[in-house]
Amino acid sequence: ASRRNDSDSDIGGVIEEFRTMVATLQAEGFEVVLDVVFNHTAEADENGPTISFRGLDNPSWYRLKTDDRSRYENASGCGNTLRLIHPRVTQFVLDALRYWVEVMGVDGFRFDLAPTLGRTRHGFDPSAPFWVALRQDPTLSQVHLIAEPWDLGHDGYQLGHLPGRFLEWNDRFRDAVRSYWLGHDAHHGKAIGRSEFARRFTASSDLFHHGHRLPAASINFIAAHDGRTLADVVSYRDKHNLANGEHGRDGHSHEVCANFGIEGPSDHPLVIDTRRRVRRALLATAMLAQGTPMLCAGDESGNSQRGNNNAYCQDNAIGWLDWQSVGDDDIDFVASLITLRRDDPLLRHARWFATEPDAHEPVLHWLRPDGEAMRISDWHDTHAHAFACQLAADAASPPRWCIVFNPGAQPARFHLPHGPWRLAVDSSGTLARASGPLAQGDHATFGVPFRALLLFRRDQYPQEIHHP
């Protein structure tokens, strides 16, 4: 009895510690989203241990192969797949989710391999019983819902198909943006033109603009806990997973990445500079794109996993964040981008930009480097990559922001109409911020550094311009 009481006390202490953590974060303006895995259990495949569910009611809890009921379907890649089409399994998951909201205080959930939760007898169904029950639950219908929109089963890639209020990890954004900025140096990436990059930068309307969904449904990321860190995306061409004990077979074998001539750490000044430029351009793209940005912890400080792109089993320096070595000014760079995005709703427009907007709708225009509007032939020009976009509050107002993209290895000349413009962000770090506008006049010419994203804000006080 004494041991049971001590155990109960320990559990109560852990629960209270978690609740206190959540409340403290919320008091500081954060929301807490819990990563949950309801696609499989630790009982693995038919050869795994019997822990609970298999011994209670195996065919109700797990999806079994139709041609051999002694074996499991494996849409999770972990040996088994939970059978959420069964009402008791759905009830179990909903009860668990409600506990984390009502008792532990979290603000929402990120569902691992989410399509598994919507699998019926006929494959994935966005109207599956679990989704319907989740939408109707008075508690869970009010919290944040985020999906990893793929699993390992047949027809498991469901990006853009999750129901209702779900936000979805957009790997199409990840791969397109990496390919655009890595260019000819990209390993495994296919050539990405301006049209594909622009589509991803404006929240992937081809995937999410349906069923009353909004741009926020696209969670835009460059790196996540699965795969390389951002620093490793620009430092390693190959994966280095031998330490995981799976003979290098694990982890994504076709990540878009580059090493810029040297595999791993380098002291070559040109390699260091190139990696830093591309890394910051990737960060700026993720933070300024329409949709919901997501950063992987440590990417703002250059964290590396030494080329390991599946460090789930590494409870050591490979998988840890080394806060003692943090000192890269990428942290301040990311903070400045967050501030800009927070302070101006135009940089996080809640609605879709219309092709032909009404007079009072925000406007987005795409421009060639010569300042003229992009034409159909320009979108299909595979040899040109630099371009820009301008954002205005409405059709009657001059543009407020101009974002310039130059992924090339050489500087580019841009004509920036509707100036004067003041530099707000330079991902290359090579342009000094001036007190006055850098690009003056209605059609000024400006030099854009190589491998750089520049953000200009239209100067609102032309009377204060001091000409040299």
Side-chain angles (χ1 to χ4, degrees), residues 29-30 283-289 292-296 299-300 330-345 347-348 401 424-425 433 455:
F30 292 94
L283 285 168
T285 301
M287 294 307 303
L288 295 175
T292 303
M294 182 181 80
L295 297 181
C296 185
D299 282 352
E300 76 283 12
D330 281 358
I331 294 176
D332 294 334
F333 179 67
V334 171
S336 67
L337 291 166
I338 292 173
T339 300
L340 287 168
R341 184 182 178 93
R342 179 197 65 197
D343 291 348
D344 193 335
L347 294 176
R348 47 181 171 83
W401 297 100
V425 172
R433 294 190 185 183
L455 174 66

mmCIF file of all heavy atoms in Angstrom, residues 29-30 283-289 292-296 299-300 330-345 347-348 401 424-425 433 455:
data_model
loop_
_atom_site.group_PDB
_atom_site.id
_atom_site.type_symbol
_atom_site.label_atom_id
_atom_site.label_comp_id
_atom_site.label_asym_id
_atom_site.label_seq_id
_atom_site.Cartn_x
_atom_site.Cartn_y
_atom_site.Cartn_z
ATOM 1 N N GLY A 29 1.601 34.223 -23.486
ATOM 2 C CA GLY A 29 1.105 34.425 -24.832
ATOM 3 C C GLY A 29 1.302 33.268 -25.782
ATOM 4 O O GLY A 29 1.017 33.381 -26.978
ATOM 5 N N PHE A 30 1.806 32.126 -25.285
ATOM 6 C CA PHE A 30 1.996 30.944 -26.128
ATOM 7 C C PHE A 30 0.767 30.032 -26.051
ATOM 8 O O PHE A 30 0.021 30.059 -25.071
ATOM 9 C CB PHE A 30 3.214 30.130 -25.673
ATOM 10 C CG PHE A 30 4.526 30.806 -25.892
ATOM 11 C CD1 PHE A 30 5.119 31.553 -24.889
ATOM 12 C CD2 PHE A 30 5.182 30.696 -27.115
ATOM 13 C CE1 PHE A 30 6.330 32.184 -25.081
ATOM 14 C CE2 PHE A 30 6.397 31.324 -27.322
ATOM 15 C CZ PHE A 30 6.972 32.073 -26.304
ATOM 16 N N LEU A 283 14.863 30.619 -44.430
ATOM 17 C CA LEU A 283 14.146 31.091 -43.245
ATOM 18 C C LEU A 283 13.208 32.243 -43.596
ATOM 19 O O LEU A 283 12.041 32.268 -43.172
ATOM 20 C CB LEU A 283 15.141 31.537 -42.176
ATOM 21 C CG LEU A 283 15.886 30.443 -41.410
ATOM 22 C CD1 LEU A 283 17.037 31.047 -40.606
ATOM 23 C CD2 LEU A 283 14.939 29.695 -40.486
ATOM 24 N N ALA A 284 13.705 33.207 -44.368
ATOM 25 C CA ALA A 284 12.893 34.360 -44.731
ATOM 26 C C ALA A 284 11.699 33.946 -45.579
ATOM 27 O O ALA A 284 10.583 34.479 -45.413
ATOM 28 C CB ALA A 284 13.747 35.387 -45.474
ATOM 29 N N THR A 285 11.896 33.006 -46.487
ATOM 30 C CA THR A 285 10.789 32.541 -47.322
ATOM 31 C C THR A 285 9.697 31.914 -46.477
ATOM 32 O O THR A 285 8.500 32.190 -46.667
ATOM 33 C CB THR A 285 11.299 31.526 -48.366
ATOM 34 O OG1 THR A 285 12.300 32.140 -49.176
ATOM 35 C CG2 THR A 285 10.167 31.047 -49.245
ATOM 36 N N ALA A 286 10.072 31.066 -45.526
ATOM 37 C CA ALA A 286 9.082 30.417 -44.669
ATOM 38 C C ALA A 286 8.316 31.430 -43.830
ATOM 39 O O ALA A 286 7.099 31.306 -43.638
ATOM 40 C CB ALA A 286 9.766 29.392 -43.761
ATOM 41 N N MET A 287 8.999 32.459 -43.340
ATOM 42 C CA MET A 287 8.358 33.418 -42.460
ATOM 43 C C MET A 287 7.506 34.448 -43.200
ATOM 44 O O MET A 287 6.573 35.016 -42.631
ATOM 45 C CB MET A 287 9.413 34.145 -41.609
ATOM 46 C CG MET A 287 10.141 33.262 -40.628
ATOM 47 S SD MET A 287 9.042 32.308 -39.543
ATOM 48 C CE MET A 287 8.076 33.617 -38.796
ATOM 49 N N LEU A 288 7.816 34.722 -44.462
ATOM 50 C CA LEU A 288 7.084 35.739 -45.211
ATOM 51 C C LEU A 288 6.021 35.148 -46.137
ATOM 52 O O LEU A 288 5.216 35.897 -46.702
ATOM 53 C CB LEU A 288 8.051 36.594 -46.026
ATOM 54 C CG LEU A 288 9.029 37.445 -45.208
ATOM 55 C CD1 LEU A 288 10.028 38.148 -46.119
ATOM 56 C CD2 LEU A 288 8.283 38.475 -44.358
ATOM 57 N N ALA A 289 6.002 33.836 -46.316
ATOM 58 C CA ALA A 289 5.009 33.210 -47.183
ATOM 59 C C ALA A 289 3.620 33.296 -46.549
ATOM 60 O O ALA A 289 3.475 33.300 -45.325
ATOM 61 C CB ALA A 289 5.377 31.761 -47.451
ATOM 62 N N THR A 292 0.674 29.373 -42.741
ATOM 63 C CA THR A 292 1.119 29.276 -41.349
ATOM 64 C C THR A 292 2.569 28.807 -41.312
ATOM 65 O O THR A 292 2.861 27.679 -41.715
ATOM 66 C CB THR A 292 0.243 28.291 -40.564
ATOM 67 O OG1 THR A 292 -1.120 28.694 -40.641
ATOM 68 C CG2 THR A 292 0.682 28.220 -39.107
ATOM 69 N N PRO A 293 3.502 29.640 -40.856
ATOM 70 C CA PRO A 293 4.906 29.211 -40.828
ATOM 71 C C PRO A 293 5.188 28.273 -39.660
ATOM 72 O O PRO A 293 4.602 28.392 -38.591
ATOM 73 C CB PRO A 293 5.667 30.530 -40.663
ATOM 74 C CG PRO A 293 4.713 31.422 -39.929
ATOM 75 C CD PRO A 293 3.333 31.030 -40.395
ATOM 76 N N MET A 294 6.091 27.327 -39.882
ATOM 77 C CA MET A 294 6.543 26.431 -38.821
ATOM 78 C C MET A 294 8.052 26.317 -38.887
ATOM 79 O O MET A 294 8.617 26.038 -39.950
ATOM 80 C CB MET A 294 5.906 25.041 -38.969
ATOM 81 C CG MET A 294 6.301 24.073 -37.853
ATOM 82 S SD MET A 294 5.574 22.417 -38.010
ATOM 83 C CE MET A 294 6.678 21.667 -39.221
ATOM 84 N N LEU A 295 8.717 26.538 -37.769
ATOM 85 C CA LEU A 295 10.163 26.384 -37.673
ATOM 86 C C LEU A 295 10.486 25.186 -36.785
ATOM 87 O O LEU A 295 9.810 24.954 -35.778
ATOM 88 C CB LEU A 295 10.814 27.636 -37.092
ATOM 89 C CG LEU A 295 10.689 28.932 -37.883
ATOM 90 C CD1 LEU A 295 11.406 30.055 -37.157
ATOM 91 C CD2 LEU A 295 11.239 28.764 -39.289
ATOM 92 N N CYS A 296 11.522 24.458 -37.143
ATOM 93 C CA CYS A 296 12.005 23.364 -36.307
ATOM 94 C C CYS A 296 12.967 23.938 -35.269
ATOM 95 O O CYS A 296 13.857 24.722 -35.611
ATOM 96 C CB CYS A 296 12.708 22.319 -37.166
ATOM 97 S SG CYS A 296 13.233 20.851 -36.254
ATOM 98 N N ASP A 299 16.709 25.484 -35.697
ATOM 99 C CA ASP A 299 17.028 25.990 -37.028
ATOM 100 C C ASP A 299 17.367 27.475 -37.003
ATOM 101 O O ASP A 299 18.069 27.971 -37.888
ATOM 102 C CB ASP A 299 15.864 25.746 -37.996
ATOM 103 C CG ASP A 299 15.815 24.307 -38.480
ATOM 104 O OD1 ASP A 299 16.760 23.548 -38.179
ATOM 105 O OD2 ASP A 299 14.840 23.934 -39.157
ATOM 106 N N GLU A 300 16.883 28.180 -35.999
ATOM 107 C CA GLU A 300 17.192 29.606 -35.892
ATOM 108 C C GLU A 300 18.592 29.847 -35.336
ATOM 109 O O GLU A 300 19.061 30.995 -35.304
ATOM 110 C CB GLU A 300 16.144 30.304 -35.005
ATOM 111 C CG GLU A 300 16.285 30.073 -33.506
ATOM 112 C CD GLU A 300 15.800 28.712 -33.027
ATOM 113 O OE1 GLU A 300 15.542 27.818 -33.864
ATOM 114 O OE2 GLU A 300 15.687 28.530 -31.799
ATOM 115 N N ASP A 330 21.327 34.450 -36.766
ATOM 116 C CA ASP A 330 20.069 34.012 -37.352
ATOM 117 C C ASP A 330 18.929 34.170 -36.347
ATOM 118 O O ASP A 330 17.771 34.358 -36.734
ATOM 119 C CB ASP A 330 20.157 32.547 -37.775
ATOM 120 C CG ASP A 330 20.882 32.372 -39.107
ATOM 121 O OD1 ASP A 330 21.276 33.397 -39.697
ATOM 122 O OD2 ASP A 330 21.055 31.229 -39.543
ATOM 123 N N ILE A 331 19.211 34.076 -35.053
ATOM 124 C CA ILE A 331 18.175 34.232 -34.044
ATOM 125 C C ILE A 331 17.564 35.628 -34.126
ATOM 126 O O ILE A 331 16.338 35.794 -34.157
ATOM 127 C CB ILE A 331 18.742 33.968 -32.633
ATOM 128 C CG1 ILE A 331 19.146 32.498 -32.503
ATOM 129 C CG2 ILE A 331 17.721 34.335 -31.561
ATOM 130 C CD1 ILE A 331 19.799 32.161 -31.186
ATOM 131 N N ASP A 332 18.398 36.646 -34.186
ATOM 132 C CA ASP A 332 17.886 38.013 -34.325
ATOM 133 C C ASP A 332 17.193 38.203 -35.664
ATOM 134 O O ASP A 332 16.200 38.925 -35.768
ATOM 135 C CB ASP A 332 19.038 39.018 -34.185
ATOM 136 C CG ASP A 332 19.635 39.030 -32.788
ATOM 137 O OD1 ASP A 332 18.909 38.678 -31.840
ATOM 138 O OD2 ASP A 332 20.839 39.354 -32.661
ATOM 139 N N PHE A 333 17.721 37.554 -36.698
ATOM 140 C CA PHE A 333 17.121 37.642 -38.022
ATOM 141 C C PHE A 333 15.704 37.082 -38.009
ATOM 142 O O PHE A 333 14.758 37.714 -38.504
ATOM 143 C CB PHE A 333 18.001 36.883 -39.017
ATOM 144 C CG PHE A 333 17.495 36.865 -40.425
ATOM 145 C CD1 PHE A 333 17.448 38.025 -41.182
ATOM 146 C CD2 PHE A 333 17.072 35.675 -41.002
ATOM 147 C CE1 PHE A 333 16.987 38.004 -42.495
ATOM 148 C CE2 PHE A 333 16.616 35.643 -42.307
ATOM 149 C CZ PHE A 333 16.569 36.807 -43.053
ATOM 150 N N VAL A 334 15.521 35.907 -37.425
ATOM 151 C CA VAL A 334 14.197 35.299 -37.342
ATOM 152 C C VAL A 334 13.270 36.144 -36.474
ATOM 153 O O VAL A 334 12.092 36.333 -36.801
ATOM 154 C CB VAL A 334 14.299 33.856 -36.798
ATOM 155 C CG1 VAL A 334 12.917 33.288 -36.508
ATOM 156 C CG2 VAL A 334 15.017 32.964 -37.797
ATOM 157 N N ALA A 335 13.785 36.672 -35.377
ATOM 158 C CA ALA A 335 12.967 37.516 -34.504
ATOM 159 C C ALA A 335 12.447 38.743 -35.251
ATOM 160 O O ALA A 335 11.289 39.150 -35.080
ATOM 161 C CB ALA A 335 13.767 37.941 -33.274
ATOM 162 N N SER A 336 13.292 39.336 -36.099
ATOM 163 C CA SER A 336 12.857 40.510 -36.856
ATOM 164 C C SER A 336 11.775 40.141 -37.861
ATOM 165 O O SER A 336 10.826 40.909 -38.075
ATOM 166 C CB SER A 336 14.050 41.155 -37.567
ATOM 167 O OG SER A 336 14.560 40.315 -38.591
ATOM 168 N N LEU A 337 11.872 38.958 -38.476
ATOM 169 C CA LEU A 337 10.852 38.502 -39.408
ATOM 170 C C LEU A 337 9.531 38.240 -38.690
ATOM 171 O O LEU A 337 8.448 38.580 -39.196
ATOM 172 C CB LEU A 337 11.320 37.231 -40.116
ATOM 173 C CG LEU A 337 12.471 37.386 -41.110
ATOM 174 C CD1 LEU A 337 13.058 36.026 -41.466
ATOM 175 C CD2 LEU A 337 11.998 38.105 -42.369
ATOM 176 N N ILE A 338 9.602 37.637 -37.519
ATOM 177 C CA ILE A 338 8.388 37.380 -36.737
ATOM 178 C C ILE A 338 7.705 38.696 -36.380
ATOM 179 O O ILE A 338 6.479 38.817 -36.458
ATOM 180 C CB ILE A 338 8.726 36.574 -35.470
ATOM 181 C CG1 ILE A 338 9.164 35.160 -35.853
ATOM 182 C CG2 ILE A 338 7.533 36.524 -34.526
ATOM 183 C CD1 ILE A 338 9.672 34.341 -34.685
ATOM 184 N N THR A 339 8.493 39.687 -36.000
ATOM 185 C CA THR A 339 7.933 40.987 -35.637
ATOM 186 C C THR A 339 7.225 41.632 -36.822
ATOM 187 O O THR A 339 6.113 42.151 -36.692
ATOM 188 C CB THR A 339 9.035 41.920 -35.117
ATOM 189 O OG1 THR A 339 9.631 41.324 -33.959
ATOM 190 C CG2 THR A 339 8.478 43.284 -34.753
ATOM 191 N N LEU A 340 7.860 41.608 -37.989
ATOM 192 C CA LEU A 340 7.245 42.180 -39.189
ATOM 193 C C LEU A 340 5.938 41.468 -39.512
ATOM 194 O O LEU A 340 4.924 42.117 -39.806
ATOM 195 C CB LEU A 340 8.203 42.072 -40.375
ATOM 196 C CG LEU A 340 9.405 43.012 -40.368
ATOM 197 C CD1 LEU A 340 10.417 42.586 -41.434
ATOM 198 C CD2 LEU A 340 8.957 44.448 -40.617
ATOM 199 N N ARG A 341 5.952 40.159 -39.458
ATOM 200 C CA ARG A 341 4.746 39.384 -39.776
ATOM 201 C C ARG A 341 3.636 39.663 -38.771
ATOM 202 O O ARG A 341 2.464 39.780 -39.138
ATOM 203 C CB ARG A 341 5.099 37.899 -39.807
ATOM 204 C CG ARG A 341 3.947 37.000 -40.225
ATOM 205 C CD ARG A 341 4.338 35.536 -40.188
ATOM 206 N NE ARG A 341 3.202 34.706 -40.557
ATOM 207 C CZ ARG A 341 2.949 34.273 -41.796
ATOM 208 N NH1 ARG A 341 3.784 34.573 -42.771
ATOM 209 N NH2 ARG A 341 1.886 33.535 -42.049
ATOM 210 N N ARG A 342 3.999 39.766 -37.515
ATOM 211 C CA ARG A 342 3.004 40.030 -36.473
ATOM 212 C C ARG A 342 2.376 41.409 -36.625
ATOM 213 O O ARG A 342 1.175 41.586 -36.426
ATOM 214 C CB ARG A 342 3.677 39.922 -35.100
ATOM 215 C CG ARG A 342 2.745 40.192 -33.913
ATOM 216 C CD ARG A 342 3.569 40.474 -32.665
ATOM 217 N NE ARG A 342 4.339 41.710 -32.830
ATOM 218 C CZ ARG A 342 5.376 42.035 -32.066
ATOM 219 N NH1 ARG A 342 5.788 41.213 -31.105
ATOM 220 N NH2 ARG A 342 6.016 43.179 -32.259
ATOM 221 N N ASP A 343 3.190 42.388 -36.990
ATOM 222 C CA ASP A 343 2.727 43.776 -36.971
ATOM 223 C C ASP A 343 1.919 44.187 -38.193
ATOM 224 O O ASP A 343 1.217 45.196 -38.153
ATOM 225 C CB ASP A 343 3.928 44.721 -36.816
ATOM 226 C CG ASP A 343 4.573 44.628 -35.442
ATOM 227 O OD1 ASP A 343 3.960 44.006 -34.551
ATOM 228 O OD2 ASP A 343 5.686 45.155 -35.283
ATOM 229 N N ASP A 344 2.008 43.461 -39.298
ATOM 230 C CA ASP A 344 1.275 43.867 -40.499
ATOM 231 C C ASP A 344 0.475 42.687 -41.049
ATOM 232 O O ASP A 344 1.043 41.734 -41.582
ATOM 233 C CB ASP A 344 2.229 44.381 -41.584
ATOM 234 C CG ASP A 344 1.480 45.102 -42.698
ATOM 235 O OD1 ASP A 344 0.280 44.812 -42.896
ATOM 236 O OD2 ASP A 344 2.076 45.960 -43.358
ATOM 237 N N PRO A 345 -0.856 42.747 -40.955
ATOM 238 C CA PRO A 345 -1.694 41.641 -41.439
ATOM 239 C C PRO A 345 -1.532 41.358 -42.928
ATOM 240 O O PRO A 345 -1.859 40.251 -43.383
ATOM 241 C CB PRO A 345 -3.120 42.126 -41.134
ATOM 242 C CG PRO A 345 -2.964 43.123 -40.035
ATOM 243 C CD PRO A 345 -1.646 43.795 -40.296
ATOM 244 N N LEU A 347 1.141 40.828 -44.453
ATOM 245 C CA LEU A 347 2.147 39.770 -44.588
ATOM 246 C C LEU A 347 1.635 38.411 -44.131
ATOM 247 O O LEU A 347 2.353 37.410 -44.219
ATOM 248 C CB LEU A 347 3.409 40.146 -43.804
ATOM 249 C CG LEU A 347 4.174 41.365 -44.316
ATOM 250 C CD1 LEU A 347 5.343 41.692 -43.393
ATOM 251 C CD2 LEU A 347 4.665 41.144 -45.744
ATOM 252 N N ARG A 348 0.408 38.370 -43.638
ATOM 253 C CA ARG A 348 -0.237 37.114 -43.225
ATOM 254 C C ARG A 348 -1.727 37.210 -43.535
ATOM 255 O O ARG A 348 -2.579 36.939 -42.694
ATOM 256 C CB ARG A 348 -0.005 36.856 -41.732
ATOM 257 C CG ARG A 348 -0.264 38.061 -40.853
ATOM 258 C CD ARG A 348 -0.008 37.786 -39.372
ATOM 259 N NE ARG A 348 -0.071 39.017 -38.595
ATOM 260 C CZ ARG A 348 -1.198 39.571 -38.142
ATOM 261 N NH1 ARG A 348 -2.353 38.989 -38.390
ATOM 262 N NH2 ARG A 348 -1.159 40.693 -37.449
ATOM 263 N N TRP A 401 4.489 46.681 -49.598
ATOM 264 C CA TRP A 401 5.648 45.807 -49.473
ATOM 265 C C TRP A 401 6.108 45.347 -50.846
ATOM 266 O O TRP A 401 5.289 45.144 -51.761
ATOM 267 C CB TRP A 401 5.321 44.562 -48.635
ATOM 268 C CG TRP A 401 4.947 44.827 -47.224
ATOM 269 C CD1 TRP A 401 3.685 44.859 -46.703
ATOM 270 C CD2 TRP A 401 5.825 45.104 -46.132
ATOM 271 N NE1 TRP A 401 3.722 45.126 -45.359
ATOM 272 C CE2 TRP A 401 5.033 45.286 -44.982
ATOM 273 C CE3 TRP A 401 7.209 45.218 -46.016
ATOM 274 C CZ2 TRP A 401 5.567 45.565 -43.732
ATOM 275 C CZ3 TRP A 401 7.760 45.499 -44.768
ATOM 276 C CH2 TRP A 401 6.939 45.670 -43.646
ATOM 277 N N ALA A 424 13.817 46.638 -45.488
ATOM 278 C CA ALA A 424 13.404 46.105 -44.188
ATOM 279 C C ALA A 424 14.124 44.809 -43.837
ATOM 280 O O ALA A 424 14.433 44.554 -42.677
ATOM 281 C CB ALA A 424 11.894 45.872 -44.165
ATOM 282 N N VAL A 425 14.416 43.963 -44.847
ATOM 283 C CA VAL A 425 15.072 42.679 -44.619
ATOM 284 C C VAL A 425 16.034 42.405 -45.764
ATOM 285 O O VAL A 425 15.682 42.585 -46.937
ATOM 286 C CB VAL A 425 14.045 41.519 -44.527
ATOM 287 C CG1 VAL A 425 14.761 40.164 -44.496
ATOM 288 C CG2 VAL A 425 13.151 41.674 -43.311
ATOM 289 N N ARG A 433 21.598 48.959 -43.820
ATOM 290 C CA ARG A 433 20.331 49.685 -43.786
ATOM 291 C C ARG A 433 20.605 51.189 -43.704
ATOM 292 O O ARG A 433 21.384 51.647 -42.875
ATOM 293 C CB ARG A 433 19.491 49.257 -42.584
ATOM 294 C CG ARG A 433 19.031 47.809 -42.680
ATOM 295 C CD ARG A 433 18.011 47.504 -41.620
ATOM 296 N NE ARG A 433 17.639 46.097 -41.628
ATOM 297 C CZ ARG A 433 16.718 45.571 -40.827
ATOM 298 N NH1 ARG A 433 16.090 46.337 -39.952
ATOM 299 N NH2 ARG A 433 16.427 44.291 -40.879
ATOM 300 N N LEU A 455 13.307 42.321 -48.574
ATOM 301 C CA LEU A 455 11.974 42.850 -48.301
ATOM 302 C C LEU A 455 12.068 44.363 -48.170
ATOM 303 O O LEU A 455 12.823 44.873 -47.342
ATOM 304 C CB LEU A 455 11.405 42.248 -47.004
ATOM 305 C CG LEU A 455 10.068 42.823 -46.527
ATOM 306 C CD1 LEU A 455 8.943 42.482 -47.506
ATOM 307 C CD2 LEU A 455 9.723 42.308 -45.129
#
